[in-house]
Amino acid sequence: MRRKIVAGNWKMNLDPAGADALFAGIQNMDVADGVELMVFPPSIYIDRLVKAGGVKIGAQDGYIADYGAFTGEVSMSQLKAIGASAVLVGHSERREYFNEDNDTVRLKTEAALNHGLEPIFCCGEPLEIREAGTYLQYVHHQLECSLFRLPLGEFVKTIIAYEPIWAIGTGLTATTTQAEEMHKAIRSWIRETYNDLAAAEYPILYGGSCNPSNAAALFACPNVDGGLIGGASLKESDFAVLAAPATWNTLN
Ligand code: PGA
C-alpha cells in the first residue's frame, strides 16, 4: 500500500495572520482515511506552524551547506532544528528564477537526507518540450542526473512530484492520460534503476493546476499518489475538497 499525500505549497504568499487562519482551517479538515496532509509555508512561518501542530510542515527550499557565510540562505540543518520534516527540492520556480541546475538539486536532495528531512523532488518539462514530444526523455534525464544517483536506502526516503511547467499556475492541467503516462514511466524507471519493491511502494505526486474539479480524476489514476498543490492550497475550501474522503473514494 503506497502512501497517499496532499501537500500544499504556499509559495511566497500570506501574511502571518493569514497563515495562522489558513492553517487553523487545515488542522480541522476532514481528511480521507490514509491520506497525509503536508504544508510548505514560507520558511519564516515554519516555526509557528510546527508549534501549532497537527500537520506535517516542510520548507520550500533549503541550502546545501549547514552553516556559514551564505547571506539570505537557510540550511537544511536549521530547518530540521525548528521542526520541519520535509523540503521541496528542484521546484521549477527555483530552477527557472534562481538558476538551480540538476547538480544543485542533487546536492540539496543529499543535504536534506543528511539531516533527516524528507525531500519532495520536483521534476517536469516546459511547454516546448511537451510540444516537441520529448517530455519522457526530458524528465528521465532530470531524474538520472540527481535523484537516481542516490543509493536505494536513501532513494526510498524521497518522494517525486511530477509538475509539468506548462500546468503550474496556468489553469492548464495535464489530462489524466498525460499524467498517468508520465507517472507510469517514472515508476518503470524506478524499477529499472532500483527494483520492483521500490517501484511498487514509491509515492509519485502530480502538481500543476490541481483543483477541486480535476483532483478526483487525477488521484484515481493508478500511478498518481496525490498532489503538490499551489494555488488551490491557499484557499481553505479548495484544499479541503482535495483532502476530503469524497475526492479519494474512487481509490481502491
Ligand atoms: P499550482 O502550483 O497548483 O498553482 O499550479 C503547483 C506547484 O507549483 O507546486
Side-chain angles (χ1 to χ4, degrees):
M1 178 68 177
R2 289 200 290 272
R3 290 168 67 190
K4 304 291 176 191
I5 297 164
V6 174
N9 173 12
W10 290 0
K11 308 193 179 182
M12 198 177 71
N13 290 297
L14 299 168
D15 62 14
D20 288 348
L22 178 55
F23 193 68
I26 294 172
Q27 285 173 311
N28 292 316
M29 275 174 189
D30 181 18
V31 181
D33 267 358
V35 171
E36 293 172 48
L37 283 191
M38 294 170 100
V39 171
F40 293 82
S43 60
I44 48 167
Y45 302 145
I46 290 174
D47 189 44
R48 65 200 289 137
L49 300 190
V50 165
K51 285 178 179 143
V55 178
K56 263 191 177 181
I57 303 297
Q60 296 171 19
D61 183 37
Y63 196 56
I64 297 156
D66 288 351
Y67 296 98
F70 301 101
T71 301
E73 291 293 338
V74 175
S75 71
M76 301 290 181
S77 57
Q78 291 170 321
L79 293 167
K80 179 69 180 177
I82 61 165
S85 46
V87 62
L88 304 182
V89 288
H91 190 282
S92 61
E93 287 151 18
R94 301 290 320 168
R95 293 179 193 257
E96 183 178 349
Y97 305 139
F98 304 97
N99 302 317
E100 291 193 8
D101 59 15
N102 285 326
D103 252 2
T104 307
V105 174
R106 177 175 58 81
L107 293 169
K108 288 191 170 188
T109 307
E110 289 169 1
L113 288 166
N114 285 341
H115 292 287
L117 291 170
E118 181 168 59
I120 297 193
F121 181 95
C122 304
C123 56
E125 79 287 355
L127 185 60
E128 61 273 19
I129 297 292
R130 170 60 57 173
E131 287 175 345
T134 51
Y135 46 93
L136 292 175
Q137 295 90 315
Y138 185 94
V139 171
H140 188 225
H141 181 71
Q142 284 183 320
L143 293 169
E144 284 221 303
C145 292
S146 30
L147 199 59
F148 287 172
R149 302 272 185 98
L150 293 172
L152 173 65
E154 294 296 287
F155 174 76
V156 295
K157 297 176 191 162
T158 68
I159 295 167
I160 290 174
Y162 167 59
E163 301 203 301
I165 297 170
W166 47 271
I168 295 180
T170 58
L172 282 179
T173 316
T175 63
T176 50
T177 310
Q178 289 171 322
E180 176 59 18
E181 180 191 28
M182 181 62 78
H183 283 233
K184 194 174 168 197
I186 291 172
R187 202 173 300 288
S188 74
W189 301 328
I190 295 173
R191 192 173 300 116
E192 283 162 20
T193 310
Y194 297 100
N195 60 42
D196 284 354
L197 185 65
E201 293 189 343
Y202 192 91
I204 307 173
L205 313 184
Y206 170 79
S209 298
C210 191
N211 63 45
S213 58
N214 57 34
L218 285 162
F219 297 166
C221 293
N223 285 290
V224 176
D225 304 307
L228 178 57
I229 319 298
S233 74
L234 292 168
K235 215 173 140 199
E236 188 186 320
S237 56
D238 281 2
F239 199 58
V241 172
L242 303 192
T247 300
W248 289 85
N249 69 6
T250 46
L251 289 174
N252 40 30

